[in-house]
């Protein structure tokens, strides 16, 4: 029983570490490419966000959007937002959407 608990704890720690390291690249991509307009917290409270009328990731409009739509916007761009399909892989874009969900405040 003791060995089972140790192995379980080890697997849990490895899984948590893998999840954390998987989030880092998306956070870095977001900080570099998205935060100038969308803001560090996704609130779009930046000069560019205000100029281009970027919605907060926590707005009702964005919260109602399915991931497929968010992914399509990230790939193809929208309005003044550039397309990222030629700069980021499909997996990076999906990870970015997952990271954006961590910034959303649902009420």
């Amino acid at each position: 029983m003791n060995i089972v608990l140790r192995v379980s704890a080890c697997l849990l720690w490895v899984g948590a570490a893998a999840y954390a390291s998987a989030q880092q690249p998306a956070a870095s991509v977001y900080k570099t490419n998205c935060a100038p307009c969308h803001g560090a917290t996704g609130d779009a409270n930046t000069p560019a966000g205000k100029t281009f009328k970027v919605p907060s990731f926590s707005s009702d409009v964005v919260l109602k959007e399915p991931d497929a739509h968010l992914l399509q916007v990230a790939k193809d761009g929208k309005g003044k937002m550039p397309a990222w399909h030629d700069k980021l892989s499909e997996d990076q874009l999906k990870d970015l959407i997952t990271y954006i969900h961590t910034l959303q405040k649902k009420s």
Side-chain angles (χ1 to χ4, degrees), residues 52-79:
F52 299 121
K53 296 180 172 81
V54 175
S56 165
F57 289 134
S58 297
S59 70
D60 288 340
V61 171
V62 177
L63 287 172
K64 290 177 184 175
E65 294 293 348
D67 285 358
H69 177 76
L70 297 176
L71 184 60
Q72 198 63 44
V73 169
K75 283 182 183 179
D76 298 335
K78 183 175 181 180

mmCIF file with all atom_site columns, all heavy atoms in Angstrom, residues 52-79:
data_model
loop_
_atom_site.group_PDB
_atom_site.id
_atom_site.type_symbol
_atom_site.label_atom_id
_atom_site.label_alt_id
_atom_site.label_comp_id
_atom_site.label_asym_id
_atom_site.label_entity_id
_atom_site.label_seq_id
_atom_site.pdbx_PDB_ins_code
_atom_site.Cartn_x
_atom_site.Cartn_y
_atom_site.Cartn_z
_atom_site.occupancy
_atom_site.B_iso_or_equiv
_atom_site.pdbx_formal_charge
_atom_site.auth_seq_id
_atom_site.auth_comp_id
_atom_site.auth_asym_id
_atom_site.auth_atom_id
_atom_site.pdbx_PDB_model_num
ATOM 1   N N   . PHE A 1 52 ? -8.388  49.912 -30.976 1.00 0.00 ? 52 PHE A N   1
ATOM 2   C CA  . PHE A 1 52 ? -9.002  48.948 -31.887 1.00 0.00 ? 52 PHE A CA  1
ATOM 3   C C   . PHE A 1 52 ? -10.277 48.318 -31.342 1.00 0.00 ? 52 PHE A C   1
ATOM 4   O O   . PHE A 1 52 ? -10.829 47.406 -31.946 1.00 0.00 ? 52 PHE A O   1
ATOM 5   C CB  . PHE A 1 52 ? -7.995  47.857 -32.258 1.00 0.00 ? 52 PHE A CB  1
ATOM 6   C CG  . PHE A 1 52 ? -6.788  48.393 -32.968 1.00 0.00 ? 52 PHE A CG  1
ATOM 7   C CD1 . PHE A 1 52 ? -5.527  48.198 -32.441 1.00 0.00 ? 52 PHE A CD1 1
ATOM 8   C CD2 . PHE A 1 52 ? -6.912  49.116 -34.139 1.00 0.00 ? 52 PHE A CD2 1
ATOM 9   C CE1 . PHE A 1 52 ? -4.396  48.698 -33.089 1.00 0.00 ? 52 PHE A CE1 1
ATOM 10  C CE2 . PHE A 1 52 ? -5.795  49.615 -34.793 1.00 0.00 ? 52 PHE A CE2 1
ATOM 11  C CZ  . PHE A 1 52 ? -4.533  49.411 -34.262 1.00 0.00 ? 52 PHE A CZ  1
ATOM 12  N N   . LYS A 1 53 ? -10.723 48.807 -30.179 1.00 0.00 ? 53 LYS A N   1
ATOM 13  C CA  . LYS A 1 53 ? -11.955 48.311 -29.554 1.00 0.00 ? 53 LYS A CA  1
ATOM 14  C C   . LYS A 1 53 ? -11.937 46.796 -29.373 1.00 0.00 ? 53 LYS A C   1
ATOM 15  O O   . LYS A 1 53 ? -12.877 46.084 -29.734 1.00 0.00 ? 53 LYS A O   1
ATOM 16  C CB  . LYS A 1 53 ? -13.182 48.764 -30.338 1.00 0.00 ? 53 LYS A CB  1
ATOM 17  C CG  . LYS A 1 53 ? -13.347 50.270 -30.347 1.00 0.00 ? 53 LYS A CG  1
ATOM 18  C CD  . LYS A 1 53 ? -14.564 50.686 -31.118 1.00 0.00 ? 53 LYS A CD  1
ATOM 19  C CE  . LYS A 1 53 ? -14.835 52.140 -30.972 1.00 0.00 ? 53 LYS A CE  1
ATOM 20  N NZ  . LYS A 1 53 ? -14.119 53.060 -31.748 1.00 0.00 ? 53 LYS A NZ  1
ATOM 21  N N   . VAL A 1 54 ? -10.834 46.315 -28.808 1.00 0.00 ? 54 VAL A N   1
ATOM 22  C CA  . VAL A 1 54 ? -10.649 44.887 -28.554 1.00 0.00 ? 54 VAL A CA  1
ATOM 23  C C   . VAL A 1 54 ? -11.507 44.496 -27.351 1.00 0.00 ? 54 VAL A C   1
ATOM 24  O O   . VAL A 1 54 ? -11.437 45.140 -26.307 1.00 0.00 ? 54 VAL A O   1
ATOM 25  C CB  . VAL A 1 54 ? -9.158  44.586 -28.273 1.00 0.00 ? 54 VAL A CB  1
ATOM 26  C CG1 . VAL A 1 54 ? -8.949  43.142 -27.891 1.00 0.00 ? 54 VAL A CG1 1
ATOM 27  C CG2 . VAL A 1 54 ? -8.309  44.961 -29.473 1.00 0.00 ? 54 VAL A CG2 1
ATOM 28  N N   . PRO A 1 55 ? -12.324 43.456 -27.456 1.00 0.00 ? 55 PRO A N   1
ATOM 29  C CA  . PRO A 1 55 ? -13.132 43.043 -26.307 1.00 0.00 ? 55 PRO A CA  1
ATOM 30  C C   . PRO A 1 55 ? -12.284 42.297 -25.268 1.00 0.00 ? 55 PRO A C   1
ATOM 31  O O   . PRO A 1 55 ? -11.315 41.633 -25.610 1.00 0.00 ? 55 PRO A O   1
ATOM 32  C CB  . PRO A 1 55 ? -14.179 42.113 -26.912 1.00 0.00 ? 55 PRO A CB  1
ATOM 33  C CG  . PRO A 1 55 ? -13.520 41.553 -28.124 1.00 0.00 ? 55 PRO A CG  1
ATOM 34  C CD  . PRO A 1 55 ? -12.607 42.631 -28.644 1.00 0.00 ? 55 PRO A CD  1
ATOM 35  N N   . SER A 1 56 ? -12.671 42.426 -24.038 1.00 0.00 ? 56 SER A N   1
ATOM 36  C CA  . SER A 1 56 ? -12.044 41.664 -22.956 1.00 0.00 ? 56 SER A CA  1
ATOM 37  C C   . SER A 1 56 ? -12.355 40.189 -23.159 1.00 0.00 ? 56 SER A C   1
ATOM 38  O O   . SER A 1 56 ? -13.444 39.831 -23.622 1.00 0.00 ? 56 SER A O   1
ATOM 39  C CB  . SER A 1 56 ? -12.607 42.128 -21.615 1.00 0.00 ? 56 SER A CB  1
ATOM 40  O OG  . SER A 1 56 ? -12.285 41.211 -20.600 1.00 0.00 ? 56 SER A OG  1
ATOM 41  N N   . PHE A 1 57 ? -11.400 39.327 -22.808 1.00 0.00 ? 57 PHE A N   1
ATOM 42  C CA  . PHE A 1 57 ? -11.661 37.890 -22.892 1.00 0.00 ? 57 PHE A CA  1
ATOM 43  C C   . PHE A 1 57 ? -12.736 37.464 -21.908 1.00 0.00 ? 57 PHE A C   1
ATOM 44  O O   . PHE A 1 57 ? -13.300 36.390 -22.032 1.00 0.00 ? 57 PHE A O   1
ATOM 45  C CB  . PHE A 1 57 ? -10.384 37.086 -22.638 1.00 0.00 ? 57 PHE A CB  1
ATOM 46  C CG  . PHE A 1 57 ? -9.386  37.170 -23.758 1.00 0.00 ? 57 PHE A CG  1
ATOM 47  C CD1 . PHE A 1 57 ? -8.056  37.390 -23.495 1.00 0.00 ? 57 PHE A CD1 1
ATOM 48  C CD2 . PHE A 1 57 ? -9.782  37.026 -25.079 1.00 0.00 ? 57 PHE A CD2 1
ATOM 49  C CE1 . PHE A 1 57 ? -7.125  37.453 -24.524 1.00 0.00 ? 57 PHE A CE1 1
ATOM 50  C CE2 . PHE A 1 57 ? -8.866  37.094 -26.112 1.00 0.00 ? 57 PHE A CE2 1
ATOM 51  C CZ  . PHE A 1 57 ? -7.530  37.306 -25.830 1.00 0.00 ? 57 PHE A CZ  1
ATOM 52  N N   . SER A 1 58 ? -13.032 38.308 -20.923 1.00 0.00 ? 58 SER A N   1
ATOM 53  C CA  . SER A 1 58 ? -14.066 37.995 -19.942 1.00 0.00 ? 58 SER A CA  1
ATOM 54  C C   . SER A 1 58 ? -15.421 38.597 -20.304 1.00 0.00 ? 58 SER A C   1
ATOM 55  O O   . SER A 1 58 ? -16.377 38.452 -19.547 1.00 0.00 ? 58 SER A O   1
ATOM 56  C CB  . SER A 1 58 ? -13.637 38.488 -18.552 1.00 0.00 ? 58 SER A CB  1
ATOM 57  O OG  . SER A 1 58 ? -12.479 37.806 -18.139 1.00 0.00 ? 58 SER A OG  1
ATOM 58  N N   . SER A 1 59 ? -15.499 39.261 -21.453 1.00 0.00 ? 59 SER A N   1
ATOM 59  C CA  . SER A 1 59 ? -16.780 39.846 -21.850 1.00 0.00 ? 59 SER A CA  1
ATOM 60  C C   . SER A 1 59 ? -17.758 38.739 -22.225 1.00 0.00 ? 59 SER A C   1
ATOM 61  O O   . SER A 1 59 ? -17.358 37.642 -22.635 1.00 0.00 ? 59 SER A O   1
ATOM 62  C CB  . SER A 1 59 ? -16.587 40.790 -23.042 1.00 0.00 ? 59 SER A CB  1
ATOM 63  O OG  . SER A 1 59 ? -16.271 40.058 -24.208 1.00 0.00 ? 59 SER A OG  1
ATOM 64  N N   . ASP A 1 60 ? -19.028 39.023 -22.090 1.00 0.00 ? 60 ASP A N   1
ATOM 65  C CA  . ASP A 1 60 ? -20.063 38.042 -22.427 1.00 0.00 ? 60 ASP A CA  1
ATOM 66  C C   . ASP A 1 60 ? -19.935 37.567 -23.871 1.00 0.00 ? 60 ASP A C   1
ATOM 67  O O   . ASP A 1 60 ? -20.124 36.393 -24.171 1.00 0.00 ? 60 ASP A O   1
ATOM 68  C CB  . ASP A 1 60 ? -21.460 38.618 -22.190 1.00 0.00 ? 60 ASP A CB  1
ATOM 69  C CG  . ASP A 1 60 ? -21.799 38.759 -20.724 1.00 0.00 ? 60 ASP A CG  1
ATOM 70  O OD1 . ASP A 1 60 ? -21.150 38.080 -19.898 1.00 0.00 ? 60 ASP A OD1 1
ATOM 71  O OD2 . ASP A 1 60 ? -22.697 39.549 -20.390 1.00 0.00 ? 60 ASP A OD2 1
ATOM 72  N N   . VAL A 1 61 ? -19.603 38.485 -24.766 1.00 0.00 ? 61 VAL A N   1
ATOM 73  C CA  . VAL A 1 61 ? -19.483 38.141 -26.181 1.00 0.00 ? 61 VAL A CA  1
ATOM 74  C C   . VAL A 1 61 ? -18.406 37.074 -26.390 1.00 0.00 ? 61 VAL A C   1
ATOM 75  O O   . VAL A 1 61 ? -18.630 36.083 -27.081 1.00 0.00 ? 61 VAL A O   1
ATOM 76  C CB  . VAL A 1 61 ? -19.159 39.404 -27.012 1.00 0.00 ? 61 VAL A CB  1
ATOM 77  C CG1 . VAL A 1 61 ? -18.824 39.046 -28.444 1.00 0.00 ? 61 VAL A CG1 1
ATOM 78  C CG2 . VAL A 1 61 ? -20.293 40.390 -26.951 1.00 0.00 ? 61 VAL A CG2 1
ATOM 79  N N   . VAL A 1 62 ? -17.242 37.268 -25.773 1.00 0.00 ? 62 VAL A N   1
ATOM 80  C CA  . VAL A 1 62 ? -16.138 36.326 -25.955 1.00 0.00 ? 62 VAL A CA  1
ATOM 81  C C   . VAL A 1 62 ? -16.402 35.028 -25.193 1.00 0.00 ? 62 VAL A C   1
ATOM 82  O O   . VAL A 1 62 ? -16.116 33.941 -25.702 1.00 0.00 ? 62 VAL A O   1
ATOM 83  C CB  . VAL A 1 62 ? -14.795 36.960 -25.536 1.00 0.00 ? 62 VAL A CB  1
ATOM 84  C CG1 . VAL A 1 62 ? -13.657 35.962 -25.646 1.00 0.00 ? 62 VAL A CG1 1
ATOM 85  C CG2 . VAL A 1 62 ? -14.498 38.193 -26.392 1.00 0.00 ? 62 VAL A CG2 1
ATOM 86  N N   . LEU A 1 63 ? -16.960 35.126 -24.002 1.00 0.00 ? 63 LEU A N   1
ATOM 87  C CA  . LEU A 1 63 ? -17.223 33.915 -23.221 1.00 0.00 ? 63 LEU A CA  1
ATOM 88  C C   . LEU A 1 63 ? -18.195 32.971 -23.921 1.00 0.00 ? 63 LEU A C   1
ATOM 89  O O   . LEU A 1 63 ? -18.129 31.759 -23.738 1.00 0.00 ? 63 LEU A O   1
ATOM 90  C CB  . LEU A 1 63 ? -17.771 34.277 -21.835 1.00 0.00 ? 63 LEU A CB  1
ATOM 91  C CG  . LEU A 1 63 ? -16.762 34.864 -20.850 1.00 0.00 ? 63 LEU A CG  1
ATOM 92  C CD1 . LEU A 1 63 ? -17.475 35.361 -19.607 1.00 0.00 ? 63 LEU A CD1 1
ATOM 93  C CD2 . LEU A 1 63 ? -15.694 33.852 -20.492 1.00 0.00 ? 63 LEU A CD2 1
ATOM 94  N N   . LYS A 1 64 ? -19.080 33.518 -24.742 1.00 0.00 ? 64 LYS A N   1
ATOM 95  C CA  . LYS A 1 64 ? -20.064 32.691 -25.456 1.00 0.00 ? 64 LYS A CA  1
ATOM 96  C C   . LYS A 1 64 ? -19.483 32.018 -26.693 1.00 0.00 ? 64 LYS A C   1
ATOM 97  O O   . LYS A 1 64 ? -20.103 31.106 -27.246 1.00 0.00 ? 64 LYS A O   1
ATOM 98  C CB  . LYS A 1 64 ? -21.268 33.549 -25.865 1.00 0.00 ? 64 LYS A CB  1
ATOM 99  C CG  . LYS A 1 64 ? -22.111 33.988 -24.690 1.00 0.00 ? 64 LYS A CG  1
ATOM 100 C CD  . LYS A 1 64 ? -23.243 34.879 -25.128 1.00 0.00 ? 64 LYS A CD  1
ATOM 101 C CE  . LYS A 1 64 ? -24.013 35.384 -23.931 1.00 0.00 ? 64 LYS A CE  1
ATOM 102 N NZ  . LYS A 1 64 ? -25.060 36.341 -24.306 1.00 0.00 ? 64 LYS A NZ  1
ATOM 103 N N   . GLU A 1 65 ? -18.308 32.469 -27.141 1.00 0.00 ? 65 GLU A N   1
ATOM 104 C CA  . GLU A 1 65 ? -17.718 31.919 -28.363 1.00 0.00 ? 65 GLU A CA  1
ATOM 105 C C   . GLU A 1 65 ? -17.157 30.520 -28.114 1.00 0.00 ? 65 GLU A C   1
ATOM 106 O O   . GLU A 1 65 ? -16.453 30.305 -27.135 1.00 0.00 ? 65 GLU A O   1
ATOM 107 C CB  . GLU A 1 65 ? -16.589 32.821 -28.876 1.00 0.00 ? 65 GLU A CB  1
ATOM 108 C CG  . GLU A 1 65 ? -17.050 34.168 -29.350 1.00 0.00 ? 65 GLU A CG  1
ATOM 109 C CD  . GLU A 1 65 ? -17.905 34.114 -30.601 1.00 0.00 ? 65 GLU A CD  1
ATOM 110 O OE1 . GLU A 1 65 ? -17.986 33.061 -31.264 1.00 0.00 ? 65 GLU A OE1 1
ATOM 111 O OE2 . GLU A 1 65 ? -18.514 35.147 -30.921 1.00 0.00 ? 65 GLU A OE2 1
ATOM 112 N N   . PRO A 1 66 ? -17.430 29.577 -29.005 1.00 0.00 ? 66 PRO A N   1
ATOM 113 C CA  . PRO A 1 66 ? -16.828 28.243 -28.867 1.00 0.00 ? 66 PRO A CA  1
ATOM 114 C C   . PRO A 1 66 ? -15.335 28.305 -29.200 1.00 0.00 ? 66 PRO A C   1
ATOM 115 O O   . PRO A 1 66 ? -14.880 29.199 -29.916 1.00 0.00 ? 66 PRO A O   1
ATOM 116 C CB  . PRO A 1 66 ? -17.589 27.397 -29.878 1.00 0.00 ? 66 PRO A CB  1
ATOM 117 C CG  . PRO A 1 66 ? -18.154 28.366 -30.855 1.00 0.00 ? 66 PRO A CG  1
ATOM 118 C CD  . PRO A 1 66 ? -18.347 29.668 -30.131 1.00 0.00 ? 66 PRO A CD  1
ATOM 119 N N   . ASP A 1 67 ? -14.594 27.343 -28.682 1.00 0.00 ? 67 ASP A N   1
ATOM 120 C CA  . ASP A 1 67 ? -13.155 27.295 -28.926 1.00 0.00 ? 67 ASP A CA  1
ATOM 121 C C   . ASP A 1 67 ? -12.835 27.274 -30.420 1.00 0.00 ? 67 ASP A C   1
ATOM 122 O O   . ASP A 1 67 ? -11.846 27.867 -30.851 1.00 0.00 ? 67 ASP A O   1
ATOM 123 C CB  . ASP A 1 67 ? -12.523 26.088 -28.240 1.00 0.00 ? 67 ASP A CB  1
ATOM 124 C CG  . ASP A 1 67 ? -12.384 26.269 -26.746 1.00 0.00 ? 67 ASP A CG  1
ATOM 125 O OD1 . ASP A 1 67 ? -12.748 27.346 -26.228 1.00 0.00 ? 67 ASP A OD1 1
ATOM 126 O OD2 . ASP A 1 67 ? -11.906 25.334 -26.091 1.00 0.00 ? 67 ASP A OD2 1
ATOM 127 N N   . ALA A 1 68 ? -13.653 26.596 -31.202 1.00 0.00 ? 68 ALA A N   1
ATOM 128 C CA  . ALA A 1 68 ? -13.405 26.521 -32.644 1.00 0.00 ? 68 ALA A CA  1
ATOM 129 C C   . ALA A 1 68 ? -13.400 27.911 -33.272 1.00 0.00 ? 68 ALA A C   1
ATOM 130 O O   . ALA A 1 68 ? -12.584 28.202 -34.158 1.00 0.00 ? 68 ALA A O   1
ATOM 131 C CB  . ALA A 1 68 ? -14.449 25.633 -33.317 1.00 0.00 ? 68 ALA A CB  1
ATOM 132 N N   . HIS A 1 69 ? -14.285 28.785 -32.808 1.00 0.00 ? 69 HIS A N   1
ATOM 133 C CA  . HIS A 1 69 ? -14.333 30.140 -33.340 1.00 0.00 ? 69 HIS A CA  1
ATOM 134 C C   . HIS A 1 69 ? -13.106 30.933 -32.883 1.00 0.00 ? 69 HIS A C   1
ATOM 135 O O   . HIS A 1 69 ? -12.497 31.658 -33.685 1.00 0.00 ? 69 HIS A O   1
ATOM 136 C CB  . HIS A 1 69 ? -15.617 30.856 -32.919 1.00 0.00 ? 69 HIS A CB  1
ATOM 137 C CG  . HIS A 1 69 ? -15.658 32.275 -33.385 1.00 0.00 ? 69 HIS A CG  1
ATOM 138 N ND1 . HIS A 1 69 ? -15.915 32.606 -34.691 1.00 0.00 ? 69 HIS A ND1 1
ATOM 139 C CD2 . HIS A 1 69 ? -15.429 33.440 -32.737 1.00 0.00 ? 69 HIS A CD2 1
ATOM 140 C CE1 . HIS A 1 69 ? -15.859 33.928 -34.825 1.00 0.00 ? 69 HIS A CE1 1
ATOM 141 N NE2 . HIS A 1 69 ? -15.574 34.445 -33.651 1.00 0.00 ? 69 HIS A NE2 1
ATOM 142 N N   . LEU A 1 70 ? -12.750 30.812 -31.603 1.00 0.00 ? 70 LEU A N   1
ATOM 143 C CA  . LEU A 1 70 ? -11.564 31.510 -31.098 1.00 0.00 ? 70 LEU A CA  1
ATOM 144 C C   . LEU A 1 70 ? -10.317 31.057 -31.852 1.00 0.00 ? 70 LEU A C   1
ATOM 145 O O   . LEU A 1 70 ? -9.454  31.877 -32.196 1.00 0.00 ? 70 LEU A O   1
ATOM 146 C CB  . LEU A 1 70 ? -11.406 31.269 -29.598 1.00 0.00 ? 70 LEU A CB  1
ATOM 147 C CG  . LEU A 1 70 ? -12.531 31.789 -28.704 1.00 0.00 ? 70 LEU A CG  1
ATOM 148 C CD1 . LEU A 1 70 ? -12.287 31.387 -27.255 1.00 0.00 ? 70 LEU A CD1 1
ATOM 149 C CD2 . LEU A 1 70 ? -12.685 33.294 -28.835 1.00 0.00 ? 70 LEU A CD2 1
ATOM 150 N N   . LEU A 1 71 ? -10.228 29.772 -32.120 1.00 0.00 ? 71 LEU A N   1
ATOM 151 C CA  . LEU A 1 71 ? -9.099  29.228 -32.860 1.00 0.00 ? 71 LEU A CA  1
ATOM 152 C C   . LEU A 1 71 ? -9.074  29.792 -34.281 1.00 0.00 ? 71 LEU A C   1
ATOM 153 O O   . LEU A 1 71 ? -8.011  30.164 -34.793 1.00 0.00 ? 71 LEU A O   1
ATOM 154 C CB  . LEU A 1 71 ? -9.170  27.702 -32.881 1.00 0.00 ? 71 LEU A CB  1
ATOM 155 C CG  . LEU A 1 71 ? -8.016  26.973 -33.539 1.00 0.00 ? 71 LEU A CG  1
ATOM 156 C CD1 . LEU A 1 71 ? -6.698  27.278 -32.853 1.00 0.00 ? 71 LEU A CD1 1
ATOM 157 C CD2 . LEU A 1 71 ? -8.282  25.466 -33.522 1.00 0.00 ? 71 LEU A CD2 1
ATOM 158 N N   . GLN A 1 72 ? -10.235 29.889 -34.907 1.00 0.00 ? 72 GLN A N   1
ATOM 159 C CA  . GLN A 1 72 ? -10.315 30.429 -36.264 1.00 0.00 ? 72 GLN A CA  1
ATOM 160 C C   . GLN A 1 72 ? -9.875  31.889 -36.296 1.00 0.00 ? 72 GLN A C   1
ATOM 161 O O   . GLN A 1 72 ? -9.158  32.313 -37.203 1.00 0.00 ? 72 GLN A O   1
ATOM 162 C CB  . GLN A 1 72 ? -11.733 30.284 -36.813 1.00 0.00 ? 72 GLN A CB  1
ATOM 163 C CG  . GLN A 1 72 ? -11.807 30.396 -38.307 1.00 0.00 ? 72 GLN A CG  1
ATOM 164 C CD  . GLN A 1 72 ? -11.042 29.278 -38.997 1.00 0.00 ? 72 GLN A CD  1
ATOM 165 O OE1 . GLN A 1 72 ? -11.129 28.113 -38.625 1.00 0.00 ? 72 GLN A OE1 1
ATOM 166 N NE2 . GLN A 1 72 ? -10.267 29.626 -39.992 1.00 0.00 ? 72 GLN A NE2 1
ATOM 167 N N   . VAL A 1 73 ? -10.280 32.670 -35.300 1.00 0.00 ? 73 VAL A N   1
ATOM 168 C CA  . VAL A 1 73 ? -9.870  34.072 -35.224 1.00 0.00 ? 73 VAL A CA  1
ATOM 169 C C   . VAL A 1 73 ? -8.355  34.165 -35.032 1.00 0.00 ? 73 VAL A C   1
ATOM 170 O O   . VAL A 1 73 ? -7.693  34.976 -35.673 1.00 0.00 ? 73 VAL A O   1
ATOM 171 C CB  . VAL A 1 73 ? -10.618 34.808 -34.091 1.00 0.00 ? 73 VAL A CB  1
ATOM 172 C CG1 . VAL A 1 73 ? -10.024 36.178 -33.829 1.00 0.00 ? 73 VAL A CG1 1
ATOM 173 C CG2 . VAL A 1 73 ? -12.104 34.919 -34.426 1.00 0.00 ? 73 VAL A CG2 1
ATOM 174 N N   . ALA A 1 74 ? -7.812  33.327 -34.172 1.00 0.00 ? 74 ALA A N   1
ATOM 175 C CA  . ALA A 1 74 ? -6.361  33.327 -33.957 1.00 0.00 ? 74 ALA A CA  1
ATOM 176 C C   . ALA A 1 74 ? -5.622  32.945 -35.244 1.00 0.00 ? 74 ALA A C   1
ATOM 177 O O   . ALA A 1 74 ? -4.588  33.530 -35.568 1.00 0.00 ? 74 ALA A O   1
ATOM 178 C CB  . ALA A 1 74 ? -5.986  32.377 -32.826 1.00 0.00 ? 74 ALA A CB  1
ATOM 179 N N   . LYS A 1 75 ? -6.160  32.001 -35.976 1.00 0.00 ? 75 LYS A N   1
ATOM 180 C CA  . LYS A 1 75 ? -5.520  31.559 -37.223 1.00 0.00 ? 75 LYS A CA  1
ATOM 181 C C   . LYS A 1 75 ? -5.589  32.635 -38.300 1.00 0.00 ? 75 LYS A C   1
ATOM 182 O O   . LYS A 1 75 ? -4.592  32.947 -38.943 1.00 0.00 ? 75 LYS A O   1
ATOM 183 C CB  . LYS A 1 75 ? -6.208  30.306 -37.770 1.00 0.00 ? 75 LYS A CB  1
ATOM 184 C CG  . LYS A 1 75 ? -5.858  29.039 -37.081 1.00 0.00 ? 75 LYS A CG  1
ATOM 185 C CD  . LYS A 1 75 ? -6.594  27.886 -37.768 1.00 0.00 ? 75 LYS A CD  1
ATOM 186 C CE  . LYS A 1 75 ? -6.337  26.585 -37.088 1.00 0.00 ? 75 LYS A CE  1
ATOM 187 N NZ  . LYS A 1 75 ? -7.068  25.488 -37.742 1.00 0.00 ? 75 LYS A NZ  1
ATOM 188 N N   . ASP A 1 76 ? -6.788  33.171 -38.527 1.00 0.00 ? 76 ASP A N   1
ATOM 189 C CA  . ASP A 1 76 ? -7.032  34.040 -39.677 1.00 0.00 ? 76 ASP A CA  1
ATOM 190 C C   . ASP A 1 76 ? -7.014  35.530 -39.364 1.00 0.00 ? 76 ASP A C   1
ATOM 191 O O   . ASP A 1 76 ? -7.042  36.349 -40.281 1.00 0.00 ? 76 ASP A O   1
ATOM 192 C CB  . ASP A 1 76 ? -8.380  33.693 -40.307 1.00 0.00 ? 76 ASP A CB  1
ATOM 193 C CG  . ASP A 1 76 ? -8.409  32.270 -40.831 1.00 0.00 ? 76 ASP A CG  1
ATOM 194 O OD1 . ASP A 1 76 ? -7.339  31.719 -41.148 1.00 0.00 ? 76 ASP A OD1 1
ATOM 195 O OD2 . ASP A 1 76 ? -9.513  31.698 -40.912 1.00 0.00 ? 76 ASP A OD2 1
ATOM 196 N N   . GLY A 1 77 ? -7.011  35.877 -38.080 1.00 0.00 ? 77 GLY A N   1
ATOM 197 C CA  . GLY A 1 77 ? -7.092  37.279 -37.711 1.00 0.00 ? 77 GLY A CA  1
ATOM 198 C C   . GLY A 1 77 ? -8.519  37.780 -37.792 1.00 0.00 ? 77 GLY A C   1
ATOM 199 O O   . GLY A 1 77 ? -9.427  37.070 -38.237 1.00 0.00 ? 77 GLY A O   1
ATOM 200 N N   . LYS A 1 78 ? -8.704  39.018 -37.354 1.00 0.00 ? 78 LYS A N   1
ATOM 201 C CA  . LYS A 1 78 ? -10.041 39.616 -37.403 1.00 0.00 ? 78 LYS A CA  1
ATOM 202 C C   . LYS A 1 78 ? -9.865  41.127 -37.295 1.00 0.00 ? 78 LYS A C   1
ATOM 203 O O   . LYS A 1 78 ? -9.215  41.617 -36.375 1.00 0.00 ? 78 LYS A O   1
ATOM 204 C CB  . LYS A 1 78 ? -10.904 39.094 -36.251 1.00 0.00 ? 78 LYS A CB  1
ATOM 205 C CG  . LYS A 1 78 ? -12.328 39.619 -36.277 1.00 0.00 ? 78 LYS A CG  1
ATOM 206 C CD  . LYS A 1 78 ? -13.169 38.981 -35.199 1.00 0.00 ? 78 LYS A CD  1
ATOM 207 C CE  . LYS A 1 78 ? -14.591 39.503 -35.262 1.00 0.00 ? 78 LYS A CE  1
ATOM 208 N NZ  . LYS A 1 78 ? -15.431 38.910 -34.229 1.00 0.00 ? 78 LYS A NZ  1
ATOM 209 N N   . GLY A 1 79 ? -10.432 41.850 -38.238 1.00 0.00 ? 79 GLY A N   1
ATOM 210 C CA  . GLY A 1 79 ? -10.260 43.299 -38.234 1.00 0.00 ? 79 GLY A CA  1
ATOM 211 C C   . GLY A 1 79 ? -8.776  43.650 -38.334 1.00 0.00 ? 79 GLY A C   1
ATOM 212 O O   . GLY A 1 79 ? -8.086  43.198 -39.238 1.00 0.00 ? 79 GLY A O   1
#
